[in-house]
Amino acid sequence: MKRIFPALCAVILFSLSGCAALIGPPILPGDTEESVIARLGHPVATFPDGNSHLLQYGAGAFSQYSYMARIGVDGKLISYQQVWTLQNFQSIKVDHASKDDVLRLVGKPTEVTRYARIPYEAWNYGFKESGVWNSEMTVYFDDQGIVRKVENGPDPRYDDSRFRF
Protein backbone atom coordinates (compact mmCIF):
# COMPACT_ATOMS: atom_id res chain seq x y z
CA MET A 1 0.00 0.00 0.00
CA LYS A 2 2.86 2.38 0.82
CA ARG A 3 4.31 1.86 -2.68
CA ILE A 4 1.00 2.41 -4.45
CA PHE A 5 0.25 5.75 -2.78
CA PRO A 6 3.20 7.72 -4.30
CA ALA A 7 2.47 6.27 -7.75
CA LEU A 8 -1.22 7.12 -7.39
CA CYS A 9 -0.37 10.70 -6.36
CA ALA A 10 1.94 11.07 -9.35
CA VAL A 11 -0.78 9.86 -11.72
CA ILE A 12 -3.35 12.26 -10.22
CA LEU A 13 -0.98 15.24 -10.39
CA PHE A 14 -0.03 14.40 -13.97
CA SER A 15 -3.72 14.16 -14.91
CA LEU A 16 -4.55 17.47 -13.27
CA SER A 17 -1.68 19.22 -15.01
CA GLY A 18 -3.11 18.00 -18.31
CA CYS A 19 -6.48 19.54 -17.43
CA ALA A 20 -4.83 22.84 -16.58
CA ALA A 21 -3.15 22.87 -19.98
CA LEU A 22 -6.53 22.39 -21.67
CA ILE A 23 -8.18 25.16 -19.68
CA GLY A 24 -5.35 27.61 -20.24
CA PRO A 25 -4.70 30.88 -18.47
CA PRO A 26 -7.63 33.11 -17.58
CA ILE A 27 -8.20 36.39 -19.36
CA LEU A 28 -6.97 39.34 -17.37
CA PRO A 29 -7.61 43.09 -17.38
CA GLY A 30 -5.24 44.67 -19.87
CA ASP A 31 -5.47 41.78 -22.35
CA THR A 32 -6.26 42.92 -25.88
CA GLU A 33 -9.66 42.31 -27.43
CA GLU A 34 -7.98 40.01 -29.95
CA SER A 35 -6.49 37.88 -27.19
CA VAL A 36 -9.86 37.72 -25.41
CA ILE A 37 -11.54 36.50 -28.61
CA ALA A 38 -8.69 34.08 -29.30
CA ARG A 39 -9.08 32.67 -25.77
CA LEU A 40 -12.91 32.64 -25.47
CA GLY A 41 -14.04 32.49 -29.09
CA HIS A 42 -16.46 34.83 -30.80
CA PRO A 43 -19.03 36.41 -28.47
CA VAL A 44 -22.73 35.62 -28.81
CA ALA A 45 -23.42 39.37 -28.87
CA THR A 46 -21.65 42.72 -28.80
CA PHE A 47 -23.14 45.88 -27.28
CA PRO A 48 -21.86 49.46 -27.45
CA ASP A 49 -21.61 51.19 -24.06
CA GLY A 50 -20.34 54.74 -24.26
CA ASN A 51 -16.65 54.72 -25.17
CA SER A 52 -16.34 51.01 -24.41
CA HIS A 53 -18.19 47.97 -25.69
CA LEU A 54 -19.30 44.68 -24.20
CA LEU A 55 -18.78 41.14 -25.47
CA GLN A 56 -21.32 38.61 -24.16
CA TYR A 57 -20.25 34.99 -23.62
CA GLY A 58 -22.05 31.88 -22.47
CA ALA A 59 -25.70 32.51 -23.28
CA GLY A 60 -27.25 29.46 -24.87
CA ALA A 61 -30.50 27.57 -24.80
CA PHE A 62 -29.76 25.91 -21.44
CA SER A 63 -27.09 28.23 -20.12
CA GLN A 64 -27.53 29.53 -16.59
CA TYR A 65 -24.58 31.89 -16.69
CA SER A 66 -23.59 34.71 -18.97
CA TYR A 67 -20.37 36.69 -18.91
CA MET A 68 -19.57 40.18 -20.17
CA ALA A 69 -16.13 41.31 -21.22
CA ARG A 70 -15.86 45.11 -21.18
CA ILE A 71 -13.41 46.38 -23.77
CA GLY A 72 -12.11 49.93 -23.40
CA VAL A 73 -11.54 52.56 -26.05
CA ASP A 74 -7.88 51.42 -26.18
CA GLY A 75 -9.01 47.91 -27.21
CA LYS A 76 -8.04 46.33 -23.90
CA LEU A 77 -10.07 44.30 -21.41
CA ILE A 78 -11.35 46.36 -18.49
CA SER A 79 -13.40 43.67 -16.75
CA TYR A 80 -14.87 40.20 -17.21
CA GLN A 81 -17.76 39.12 -15.00
CA GLN A 82 -20.76 36.85 -14.69
CA VAL A 83 -23.82 39.08 -15.20
CA TRP A 84 -26.83 36.81 -14.64
CA THR A 85 -26.99 37.52 -10.93
CA LEU A 86 -29.87 38.44 -8.66
CA GLN A 87 -28.14 41.73 -7.89
CA ASN A 88 -27.95 42.70 -11.59
CA PHE A 89 -31.55 41.70 -12.25
CA GLN A 90 -32.71 43.68 -9.22
CA SER A 91 -30.94 46.78 -10.52
CA ILE A 92 -33.14 46.91 -13.65
CA LYS A 93 -35.25 50.05 -13.18
CA VAL A 94 -38.94 49.36 -13.83
CA ASP A 95 -40.67 52.14 -15.84
CA HIS A 96 -37.26 53.62 -16.79
CA ALA A 97 -34.91 51.02 -18.31
CA SER A 98 -35.01 50.34 -22.04
CA LYS A 99 -34.17 47.19 -23.97
CA ASP A 100 -30.70 48.63 -24.66
CA ASP A 101 -30.18 49.26 -20.93
CA VAL A 102 -31.10 45.64 -20.14
CA LEU A 103 -28.85 44.32 -22.91
CA ARG A 104 -25.89 46.28 -21.53
CA LEU A 105 -26.61 45.08 -17.99
CA VAL A 106 -27.41 41.37 -18.47
CA GLY A 107 -27.13 40.71 -22.21
CA LYS A 108 -29.31 38.66 -24.51
CA PRO A 109 -32.00 36.53 -22.89
CA THR A 110 -32.39 32.78 -23.03
CA GLU A 111 -35.81 33.22 -24.68
CA VAL A 112 -38.02 36.02 -26.00
CA THR A 113 -41.78 35.50 -26.03
CA ARG A 114 -45.16 37.19 -25.91
CA TYR A 115 -47.76 35.83 -23.55
CA ALA A 116 -51.41 35.85 -24.67
CA ARG A 117 -52.85 37.45 -21.52
CA ILE A 118 -50.48 40.38 -21.12
CA PRO A 119 -49.57 43.07 -23.65
CA TYR A 120 -45.83 42.83 -23.07
CA GLU A 121 -42.83 41.22 -24.70
CA ALA A 122 -41.07 38.98 -22.18
CA TRP A 123 -37.35 38.29 -22.04
CA ASN A 124 -36.62 35.16 -20.02
CA TYR A 125 -33.26 34.57 -18.38
CA GLY A 126 -32.75 31.08 -16.94
CA PHE A 127 -30.10 31.48 -14.26
CA LYS A 128 -28.63 29.75 -11.22
CA GLU A 129 -29.92 31.90 -8.38
CA SER A 130 -27.44 32.15 -5.50
CA GLY A 131 -25.52 29.33 -7.17
CA VAL A 132 -28.23 26.88 -6.07
CA TRP A 133 -31.73 27.31 -7.52
CA ASN A 134 -32.77 26.87 -11.15
CA SER A 135 -34.55 30.19 -11.53
CA GLU A 136 -35.96 32.23 -14.38
CA MET A 137 -36.02 36.01 -14.34
CA THR A 138 -38.51 37.55 -16.75
CA VAL A 139 -38.22 41.17 -17.86
CA TYR A 140 -41.41 42.55 -19.44
CA PHE A 141 -41.27 45.37 -22.02
CA ASP A 142 -44.12 47.48 -23.37
CA ASP A 143 -44.45 48.30 -27.08
CA GLN A 144 -42.11 51.30 -26.62
CA GLY A 145 -39.37 48.99 -25.27
CA ILE A 146 -39.56 50.21 -21.66
CA VAL A 147 -39.36 47.75 -18.74
CA ARG A 148 -42.75 47.49 -17.04
CA LYS A 149 -42.17 44.51 -14.76
CA VAL A 150 -39.42 42.17 -13.57
CA GLU A 151 -40.44 38.80 -12.15
CA ASN A 152 -38.52 35.88 -10.68
CA GLY A 153 -39.67 32.28 -10.45
CA PRO A 154 -38.62 28.66 -10.93
CA ASP A 155 -37.09 27.79 -14.30
CA PRO A 156 -39.62 25.60 -16.15
CA ARG A 157 -36.81 23.99 -18.14
CA TYR A 158 -35.84 22.12 -14.98
CA ASP A 159 -39.34 21.22 -13.78
CA ASP A 160 -39.39 17.44 -13.92
CA SER A 161 -42.88 17.10 -12.35
CA ARG A 162 -44.47 17.05 -15.80
CA PHE A 163 -42.61 13.79 -16.52
CA ARG A 164 -43.88 11.92 -13.45
CA PHE A 165 -46.78 9.54 -13.70
Side-chain angles (χ1 to χ4, degrees), residues 44 56 58-65 84 108-112 124-127 135-136 155-158:
V44 296
Q56 182 181 3
F62 279 88
S63 179
Q64 292 184 303
Y65 302 94
W84 286 0
K108 289 174 60 174
T110 310
E111 173 189 46
V112 176
N124 297 319
Y125 294 85
F127 74 110
S135 298
E136 182 175 76
D155 189 339
R157 299 174 304 168
Y158 295 92

Side-chain angles (χ1 to χ4, degrees), residues 71-116:
I71 307 295
V73 68
D74 60 355
K76 294 188 177 177
L77 181 68
I78 296 170
S79 64
Y80 181 70
Q81 60 187 6
Q82 205 283 103
V83 293
W84 286 0
T85 65
L86 196 55
Q87 181 180 4
N88 277 354
F89 289 123
Q90 289 174 338
S91 69
I92 296 171
K93 294 181 179 10
V94 175
D95 296 329
H96 295 288
S98 68
K99 287 182 178 182
D100 286 340
D101 295 331
V102 173
L103 287 172
R104 284 190 299 271
L105 185 62
V106 293
K108 289 174 60 174
T110 310
E111 173 189 46
V112 176
T113 191
R114 251 193 199 280
Y115 296 105

